[in-house]
Amino acid sequence: MTRAFPAPPPVGDQSLYDLQYRRFAAPVAALAQEAGLCELLLERPRTIPEAAEALGVTPRAAEAMVAVVAALGFARNDGGGRFALTDLGRTYLLPASPFGRRLGRGDDPILNELRSAFRSGEPASPLAVAMEALPEAEVREFIGRMHALTLPAAGSLARQPVFGGVGLLLDVGAGSGSLSAAVAAAHPGVRCTLLDLPEVCAIAAENIRGYGLEDRVATRPADMFRDPWPGGHDAALFGNIFHDWDPASCAELARRAFEALEPGGRVLLHEMPLAETRDGPLTVACFSVAMLLYEKGKQYTLSELEEMLGVAGFVDFESAASHGYYHLISARKPG
């Protein structure tokens, strides 16, 4: 039995993201105490690369920690990219303070995972970046969770004006197919191709048939890094993909998108950007912590995404709020 793709919900889902991802805030603050970040920022303001060097961790790990601590109000960006401890941080996070509190518990499983990820710079429990190695049951469970996560935003995304000019859409790393299903349901003239690993495409095809959209949404099983992409598209969509990967991998995806698009075509990123000051929003900063634990990327700033797309040859970079914390980020292939 088929069902209509749901209309966008009447309210945003920021509170659900807050519940899911802010659970990392307390363990990160505890690790910041444990690692000596608070004393480091008290000594003198430091940039994130300087903090990374002093702590002996990767810049990605340092940024995730500093962004959460700053979003909580314990540190602040001085406007020049250096972070200093605030009065709040000095009062409650320093052991020397009469009001200092030791955060975290030794048996906290998230704190233990964070310790491992911060030391190694590698995800403690890889998910999307290790999809090929996951058992089928875990793949289905992960894609199901991602479907529930992206479904509320999908309908709002499809209402973005850019899709009115799209005829052929390539959805790279399409997962459950929720975003393309929303676009196809809202724009009868659009034809979509979902590109993902074979086992993921099988799940997406089930969802697409469930929405009765199989005549306009097709699957293309492929490894997005190794296999060729079909060409001739008006737009290439990446929903929650760049944040999974390191900058070099994102640059390769941008390059491949540029080649797959027709002149004038647009690359589209559906992401939750980190503030340029790297101090929030808190939930987005916590989402970066999730990327540190489970993937190879982070929540990028808009300027970082613009630079990646620009190096690939894209121009006319734009960003528009889409749904909740999400933005639709786009750029055009000249021609």
Side-chain angles (χ1 to χ4, degrees):
M1 178 181 293
T2 61
R3 60 196 184 282
F5 192 86
V11 292
D13 58 353
Q14 291 100 319
S15 294
L16 276 300
Y17 275 91
D18 296 344
L19 283 172
Q20 185 166 357
Y21 290 101
R22 289 188 181 187
R23 73 184 191 276
F24 295 120
V28 170
L31 187 60
Q33 281 186 316
E34 185 179 294
L37 176 68
C38 303
E39 288 85 353
L40 193 69
L41 300 185
L42 178 68
E43 181 182 289
R44 63 177 175 83
R46 281 176 164 85
T47 65
I48 287 171
E50 289 169 346
E53 182 177 4
L55 295 174
V57 300
T58 65
R60 179 170 81 115
E63 180 179 283
M65 179 185 284
V66 169
V68 169
V69 169
L72 288 168
F74 296 121
R76 62 174 179 82
N77 188 321
D78 66 3
R82 287 180 171 80
F83 289 82
L85 210 61
T86 62
D87 287 342
L88 186 69
R90 285 192 292 271
T91 302
Y92 294 110
L93 295 191
L94 291 174
S97 168
F99 306 105
R101 301 180 189 176
R102 177 58 61 182
L103 304 176
R105 305 189 323 269
D107 60 348
D108 184 336
I110 296 178
L111 181 54
N112 287 330
E113 277 196 316
L114 280 171
R115 287 190 184 104
S116 173
F118 271 85
R119 280 195 304 266
S120 69
E122 293 296 323
S125 305
L127 290 173
V129 296
M131 191 72 70
E132 287 179 291
L134 295 179
E136 181 181 354
E138 289 188 32
V139 172
R140 282 194 168 271
E141 194 274 336
F142 177 75
I143 296 299
R145 283 193 286 115
M146 293 303 100
H147 185 71
L149 194 73
T150 59
L151 194 62
S156 297
L157 172 70
R159 291 183 173 182
Q160 292 288 326
V162 67
F163 292 105
V166 173
L168 295 176
L169 174 67
L170 181 64
D171 189 348
V172 184
S176 72
S178 61
L179 301 185
S180 278
V183 172
H187 303 275
V190 177
R191 298 294 184 271
C192 306
T193 299
L194 313 183
L195 190 148
D196 214 317
L197 295 170
E199 55 270 35
V200 179
C201 278
I203 299 168
E206 294 172 9
N207 290 330
I208 297 304
R209 285 194 298 271
Y211 293 125
L213 295 169
E214 63 270 29
D215 60 331
R216 292 191 290 116
V217 183
T219 59
R220 174 72 174 259
D223 183 305
M224 65 185 180
F225 289 108
R226 300 188 186 96
D227 297 326
W229 296 7
H233 291 87
D234 305 310
L237 173 64
F238 297 85
N240 277 343
I241 299 299
F242 273 44
H243 74 185
D244 286 336
W245 298 96
D246 58 278
S249 298
C250 293
E252 173 62 11
L253 293 175
R255 183 192 68 79
R256 284 180 160 238
F258 192 87
E259 292 181 352
L261 288 168
E262 290 290 293
R266 299 197 74 89
V267 62
L268 308 171
L269 313 180
H270 198 228
E271 293 281 356
M272 295 192 296
L274 188 67
E276 293 295 332
T277 46
R278 290 171 170 80
D279 55 2
L282 176 58
T283 296
V284 177
C286 288
F287 209 41
S288 258
V289 175
M291 296 302 103
L292 185 74
L293 287 173
Y294 307 124
E295 312 297 354
K296 294 185 177 182
K298 69 187 191 79
Q299 299 310 116
Y300 292 102
T301 65
L302 290 176
S303 62
E304 288 175 315
L305 295 172
E306 181 176 12
E307 181 178 359
M308 291 175 193
L309 298 181
V311 169
F314 288 103
V315 297
D316 297 340
F317 181 91
E318 298 177 0
S319 177
S322 166
H323 180 91
Y325 293 108
Y326 280 100
H327 284 229
L328 179 62
I329 296 135
S330 69
R332 182 178 59 85
K333 178 176 178 176

